[in-house]
Amino acid sequence: IVATLLIIKEGPQEISRIANDAIKTLDSTELIPVLNQTIKDPWLRTISIQLLTTTGDKEAINILRPYLMGNDQKLKLDIAEALVELKCKDGIPVLIDFLKSNLETNRIIAFTSLKKATFLTFNYKIWEEKEKREQSVMLWEEWWKTNEPIFVFK
């Protein structure tokens, strides 16, 4: 499995696609324990998170959730995005925090994921001035404070 992950990450595009398709045929009970180990490797982390997400297995949530507590901002954003894709509410407040990021790419990822999960925008504009974005972020935060207990993914 690890060799296949390396091929997916670094192999020629066609071979990488074939390897990716092949690994998705594995049973999640075989795949998840390996991904639980490979997620610790910075070189394999992104592909491991993506594959954990594609399993749709709730065990993936238990593996991903602890990584929200770390200091690695890129990892935290990737994990929050994956958790929301797995319909785990723990990722939503983290994504809302990333709407405040100084990095445009972080804001794009966070907003896209939030919009897809909630169908809301609160008139947030990724490229607006910081002050205008902060107004929208306050609306996101207020909404989450009110709706967290009753929020259900569609």
Side-chain angles (χ1 to χ4, degrees):
I1 294 174
V2 174
T4 307
L5 291 176
L6 292 171
I7 291 169
I8 292 169
K9 181 162 177 52
E10 294 297 324
Q13 188 173 6
E14 182 62 19
I15 293 172
S16 179
R17 186 190 60 73
I18 292 167
N20 193 34
D21 291 345
I23 206 160
K24 288 179 183 175
T25 65
L26 293 174
D27 185 73
S28 63
T29 58
E30 298 170 327
L31 188 57
I32 287 177
V34 175
L35 295 175
N36 188 19
Q37 295 305 311
T38 58
I39 197 171
K40 296 170 187 164
D41 180 338
W43 205 65
L44 296 174
R45 184 172 284 156
T46 300
I47 190 68
S48 298
I49 292 167
Q50 291 169 350
L51 287 169
L52 276 167
T53 304
T54 62
T55 67
D57 194 304
K58 295 302 177 189
E59 181 59 27
I61 293 171
N62 296 329
I63 291 169
L64 295 170
R65 191 180 279 135
Y67 290 96
L68 287 178
M69 305 308 157
N71 293 324
D72 182 330
Q73 294 301 298
K74 170 72 171 112
L75 176 59
K76 191 180 283 192
L77 178 58
D78 290 346
I79 295 293
E81 182 182 28
L83 287 172
V84 168
E85 195 166 318
L86 287 164
K87 300 189 181 325
C88 174
K89 295 193 291 186
D90 294 351
I92 290 179
V94 177
L95 291 173
I96 292 171
D97 281 343
F98 272 102
L99 294 177
K100 303 172 195 173
S101 176
N102 291 328
L103 297 174
E104 189 176 288
T105 55
N106 288 353
R107 295 194 309 267
I108 291 169
I109 293 167
F111 180 68
T112 302
S113 187
L114 284 167
K115 185 178 174 185
K116 181 179 175 185
T118 66
F119 300 96
L120 300 170
T121 66
F122 295 105
N123 207 28
Y124 183 84
K125 305 278 190 286
I126 295 161
W127 298 280
E128 276 191 325
E129 298 168 13
K130 185 176 181 177
E131 294 76 27
K132 289 185 179 182
R133 289 194 321 264
E134 286 173 349
Q135 294 170 0
S136 294
V137 171
M138 283 180 17
L139 294 173
W140 275 105
E141 290 170 336
E142 290 171 19
W143 169 80
W144 186 242
K145 189 184 297 183
T146 303
N147 290 281
E148 178 183 11
I150 58 171
F151 178 76
V152 177
F153 287 93
K154 296 177 180 164

